[in-house]
Amino acid sequence: MIWFGSWHLFRPNLDAQVGSGLRLAAIAASSLVLLIVSFLAHESWPAISSLGSRMVTDASWHPSAKASEGTFGMWPIVVGTLVVTGGAVMLASPLGVVSAVFAEFYAPPHVAVMFRGLIELLAGIPSVVFGLWGLMVLAPLIARVSPPGQSLLAGVVIVTLMILPTVMLVTGSALESVPRERVRGAVALGMGRFAVIRHVVIPGARAGIVTGMLLGATRAMGETMAVLMVCGNVVKIPRGVFDPVRTLTANMALEMGYALDLHRSALYTSGLALLVTSMGLVACAQWLGRES
């Protein structure tokens, strides 16, 4: 009894200490994000101040240490990033949702467990393996239709395979979180399985589905090695799915090792542009979540 009395005596102090520790952890995490943003902004400032609108208006990317001797057109690289990400999300989202619905409502239990295991295994494959498969198998197949094969289409297909597990697994968790009372009530009213899924389960899981699409899009946008291997890395705005493209992450990976002065600052600006685009994506997903 004396020990329990002492515990209750010191418990308020322990709660205060835990609360203070959690606040410090939150402040540290927020500070880390601010430090990253500040670092990118500081390193990008020489290029932004020297080049200004040229980073959008220049038609090509041939950087130099001197602004007067190079072209720093980043717009084609931003477009390449957006079309690869957008194409992958447009393909992976319906496939992921349909796969999650199948595993949750249509597949027998043993088949659903096996199917989820295969999808989780797909999520664990390193990106360089996807890139190698795309370079050695997918790109030659595309080249039979329209050379050179390393193209926007190859990048979209590879990134779709990479983000499909994320979309499916998050969507599956959202479907499981829908209250079963709603499902049983809809069945009691005489609704069929498809009608229940369409009118009860999917609307109830909409926020989780949007979250899965967001997570998939952020991984697609930040992917480097696979898109570097299969997209062709040509700085131009694609006119079709068979054109090669370069993404922001591939641009930094290819050139950061030897970049100096203004060229290096311009690459940091690529990172800053990627960060701003990701923030816009997060804001859009939050708006969609509120609308749902």
Side-chain angles (χ1 to χ4, degrees), residues 31-270:
S31 300
L32 181 60
V33 174
L34 293 177
L35 285 174
I36 293 174
V37 174
S38 301
F39 171 76
L40 287 176
H42 178 266
E43 295 295 331
S44 302
W45 180 247
I48 295 174
S49 59
S50 298
L51 301 172
S53 61
R54 283 184 53 193
M55 303 194 76
V56 178
T57 58
D58 281 356
S60 60
W61 175 269
H62 298 290
S64 172
K66 296 181 180 180
S68 59
E69 297 177 359
T71 55
F72 298 83
M74 195 178 296
W75 179 243
I77 306 176
V78 174
V79 172
T81 302
L82 293 178
V83 293
V84 170
T85 301
V89 172
M90 288 178 63
L91 289 179
S93 295
L95 289 174
V97 173
V98 169
S99 299
V101 169
F102 167 76
E104 184 69 22
F105 295 102
Y106 286 93
H110 64 282
V111 175
V113 171
M114 183 184 303
F115 183 62
R116 290 193 186 96
L118 290 174
I119 296 298
E120 291 172 356
L121 179 63
L122 184 65
I125 298 176
S127 62
V128 68
V129 176
F130 280 105
L132 184 62
W133 177 82
L135 182 64
M136 303 305 296
V137 178
L138 182 60
L141 290 176
I142 296 175
R144 295 181 182 180
V145 179
S146 179
Q150 293 173 282
S151 59
L152 169 62
L153 177 60
V156 168
V157 172
I158 290 298
V159 177
T160 297
L161 293 176
M162 296 180 66
I163 69 174
L164 177 60
T166 301
V167 177
M168 179 200 159
L169 295 175
V170 175
T171 299
S173 299
L175 296 177
E176 292 177 355
S177 66
V178 176
R180 291 305 177 221
E181 292 79 6
R182 297 183 185 179
V183 177
R184 288 193 290 267
V187 172
L189 292 175
M191 298 176 65
R193 181 186 302 182
F194 179 75
V196 171
I197 295 171
R198 180 181 178 184
H199 297 289
V200 177
V201 177
I202 296 296
R206 188 172 300 168
I209 295 173
V210 172
T211 301
M213 293 170 60
L214 167 63
L215 293 176
T218 53
R219 183 182 180 187
M221 188 171 292
E223 180 51 45
T224 303
M225 185 55 67
V227 296
L228 188 150
M229 297 173 71
V230 302
C231 284
N233 300 309
V234 177
V235 181
K236 70 173 186 178
I237 296 178
R239 304 298 179 184
V241 294
F242 298 109
D243 288 350
V245 296
R246 180 182 290 190
T247 64
L248 290 168
T249 52
N251 190 51
M252 290 183 284
L254 285 169
E255 301 184 6
M256 185 60 77
Y258 61 87
L260 298 172
D261 302 328
L262 195 63
H263 181 193
R264 187 178 183 87
S265 180
L267 291 177
Y268 277 112
T269 307
S270 297

